Amino acid sequence: MNLGLVIVIIMLVIVLLIIISNIKIVPQAYAYILERLGGYKETWSVGLHFKMPILDKVAKKVSLKEQVVDFDPQAVITKDNVTMQIDTVVFFQITDPKKYAYGVESPISAIENLTATTLRNIIGDLELDETLTSRETINTKMRTILDIATDEWGIKVNRVELKNIMPPKAIQDAMEKQMKAERERREAILRAEGEKKSTILVAEGEKESVILEAEASKEAAILKAEAEKQKRIREAEGQAEAIRTVQKATAEGIEFVKAAGADQAVLTLKSLEAFVKAADGQATKIIIPSELQGIAGLTKTIAEVAHIDAVKPE
């Protein structure tokens, strides 16, 4: 093998290596910033790309994924002059790789400083109690301010969260005492309300018991009166039935006498028998029908004559 052929092979290998080294594949969720002779040329997206040897270079590889940065606690002062430590978490995403590459020297450091100054400004307008209870409001204000400021850097701030709010130790102790007192107050209120409800329930139970007893007595009286009423009705009905039976028997007797063809003497005799029965009773006065008076007088005369005959001496 002569020297010329060796040189040609070497040159071909070198050219092949140069070509291979200038073929770039951009992976998913990434973007490459290509520069030519030190100036911005273009932004490569996902796929296969080729750059000019020596003239072109990949200046920056930019991740398009959402990123999370946890910043160290920052000392802030509230409106009522309470110094506390607050650390923040920022969620951001690069939307313009060119602005991100050329907009600011150190994007992460710039976001951290901007977050610290923005947090101080917002907390400076709030008192301690407002700061502790307004996390969502503070998060929203910070996200809006940071998103507007970082737009020139090709960054979009999606969320900002206050991770920890740490007041001074003395204030933490005072807050714990206040919370303990508040819990004790709520406990006392709940206990008082429980006793009140218990008393009310007992009173209502006694009231219901009295009402039920009164209703029971009322029902018993009503049932007793109804029973007495039914008893009297049954007695009256029995007496009426007895009267009806007597009257029926009397009517049947009269009908029988009439059917037997009895004359006036028989009827008069029956009347006398009835009169005698009436005289045997307890009545102090007896009213004698006019048609019986003659017979009564005749009976008296006969009785007197019989008496005279009995006492006359022989």
Side-chain angles (χ1 to χ4, degrees):
M1 183 179 295
N2 55 23
L3 183 59
L5 183 58
V6 173
I7 293 173
V8 170
I9 294 173
I10 293 173
M11 291 297 294
L12 290 175
V13 172
I14 292 174
V15 170
L16 183 60
L17 291 175
I18 292 173
I19 292 173
I20 293 173
S21 63
N22 285 277
I23 296 174
K24 299 295 182 183
I25 298 176
V26 180
Q28 184 69 36
Y30 276 88
Y32 288 1
I33 302 298
L34 183 68
E35 293 180 351
R36 177 168 291 178
L37 298 176
Y40 174 77
K41 174 69 171 61
E42 62 180 337
T43 301
W44 285 350
S45 58
V46 179
L48 180 65
H49 299 274
F50 179 79
K51 68 181 184 69
M52 295 295 294
I54 302 174
L55 300 179
D56 296 340
K57 72 171 184 177
V58 176
K60 196 173 190 64
K61 297 179 180 180
V62 180
S63 174
L64 303 179
K65 300 176 183 178
E66 185 174 16
Q67 302 179 50
V68 182
V69 181
D70 187 357
F71 297 129
D72 294 333
Q74 302 291 328
V76 295
I77 302 176
T78 62
K79 187 177 181 179
D80 48 353
N81 297 321
V82 177
T83 302
M84 62 178 63
Q85 299 286 327
I86 301 179
D87 57 347
T88 54
V89 180
V90 179
F91 298 81
F92 69 91
Q93 190 172 13
I94 299 171
T95 56
D96 190 333
K98 180 181 178 182
K99 289 183 178 181
Y100 179 78
Y102 300 104
V104 65
E105 179 63 28
S106 179
I108 303 301
S109 179
I111 292 175
E112 181 178 9
N113 292 325
L114 182 60
T115 301
T117 55
T118 302
L119 183 62
R120 291 192 181 99
N121 292 335
I122 294 175
I123 298 300
D125 294 333
L126 301 175
E127 295 184 354
L128 175 62
D129 293 340
E130 293 178 306
T131 302
L132 296 175
T133 58
S134 304
R135 283 176 175 262
E136 190 63 30
T137 302
I138 297 171
N139 294 340
T140 302
K141 287 183 178 180
M142 289 188 63
R143 190 201 68 79
T144 302
I145 294 172
L146 291 177
D147 188 41
I148 294 173
T150 57
D151 186 64
E152 295 298 324
W153 306 339
I155 298 173
K156 178 176 179 56
V157 177
N158 295 326
R159 294 189 305 279
V160 178
E161 300 289 343
L162 300 184
K163 187 176 180 181
N164 292 308
I165 299 178
M166 296 168 286
K169 180 64 176 175
I171 293 180
Q172 290 184 17
D173 294 339
M175 291 172 61
E176 290 178 359
K177 292 179 180 179
Q178 181 181 0
M179 292 176 62
K180 182 179 179 181
E182 181 67 18
R183 286 195 296 268
E184 291 176 351
R185 183 183 70 86
R186 291 180 180 178
E187 181 182 359
I189 291 173
L190 291 174
R191 188 183 299 111
E193 289 180 350
E195 293 176 354
K196 175 183 176 182
K197 290 181 179 179
S198 176
T199 303
I200 291 173
L201 290 175
V202 171
E204 289 181 349
E206 294 177 351
K207 175 183 175 183
E208 291 293 333
S209 177
V210 171
I211 291 173
L212 290 174
E213 289 179 359
E215 290 180 349
S217 300
K218 176 182 175 182
E219 292 292 333
I222 291 173
L223 292 174
K224 183 177 180 181
E226 185 68 22
E228 186 67 23
K229 174 184 174 182
Q230 293 294 329
K231 177 183 177 182
R232 292 181 179 179
I233 290 173
R234 296 292 176 85
E235 290 177 353
E237 289 178 349
Q239 293 176 359
E241 184 65 25
I243 292 171
R244 283 195 298 270
T245 302
V246 171
Q247 300 253 347
K248 183 178 179 182
T250 302
E252 289 178 352
I254 293 171
E255 290 294 329
F256 178 76
V257 170
K258 288 181 179 181
D263 55 8
Q264 184 64 32
V266 176
L267 295 176
T268 302
L269 182 59
K270 292 293 184 180
S271 298
L272 285 174
E273 291 177 355
F275 176 72
V276 172
K277 290 181 180 180
D280 290 338
Q282 300 297 325
T284 58
K285 293 182 180 180
I286 301 173
I287 298 172
I288 302 173
S290 58
E291 62 270 13
L292 296 180
Q293 289 179 2
I295 300 173
L298 177 61
T299 305
K300 181 178 180 183
T301 302
I302 295 171
E304 288 178 355
V305 172
H307 178 70
I308 290 171
D309 291 339
V311 297
K312 185 177 178 180
E314 294 181 356

